[in-house]
Amino acid sequence: MKHLTISEISLLSDMEKKGRKITFDKTKTVILGGNQTGKSSLVKSIYFALGAEPAKQHPRWANAEVKTLLKFAVDGQDFMIVRDGNLFLLFAASGRFL
């Protein structure tokens, strides 16, 4: 079985002129917050970066046209994936386009 570890996600909205970078601990990350603070949006952003389409999205999030950079490792080998709409770019940790 493959081991997937997510180390960082960066989100950028040209529409809102905002960005956010979240770094995850290598062993455990706990996401806490009250209602409407973005916990589900964060999880959905990870799935979205990997190719999934969320069944439900907050309308504001859907209109923000968010671009995503996800850094992750599979069995200790590092990768980066960029998603911009329906465009996917996959890179090795060295920056080599895959």
Side-chain angles (χ1 to χ4, degrees), residues 6-11 19-25 29 31 38 42 45-46 69-71:
I6 297 170
S7 58
E8 182 179 297
I9 188 167
S10 298
L11 306 165
R20 173 164 287 186
K21 180 168 92 171
I22 300 167
T23 305
F24 300 97
D25 186 79
T29 297
I31 302 168
L42 175 60
S45 294
I46 293 168
L69 168 66
L70 184 70
K71 294 183 179 180

Side-chain angles (χ1 to χ4, degrees), residues 55-66:
K56 291 184 179 180
Q57 271 188 328
H58 191 283
R60 185 172 165 218
W61 184 257
N63 293 331
E65 298 177 14
V66 176

Side-chain angles (χ1 to χ4, degrees), residues 31-73:
I31 302 168
L32 299 172
N35 291 339
Q36 301 296 315
T37 58
K39 300 178 304 292
S40 295
S41 292
L42 175 60
V43 173
K44 289 176 185 179
S45 294
I46 293 168
Y47 286 133
F48 181 75
L50 295 170
E53 295 292 336
K56 291 184 179 180
Q57 271 188 328
H58 191 283
R60 185 172 165 218
W61 184 257
N63 293 331
E65 298 177 14
V66 176
K67 294 155 186 63
T68 307
L69 168 66
L70 184 70
K71 294 183 179 180
F72 64 99

Side-chain angles (χ1 to χ4, degrees), residues 3-7 24-30:
H3 181 76
L4 172 70
T5 306
I6 297 170
S7 58
F24 300 97
D25 186 79
K26 290 182 181 185
T27 56
K28 185 187 321 181
T29 297
V30 178

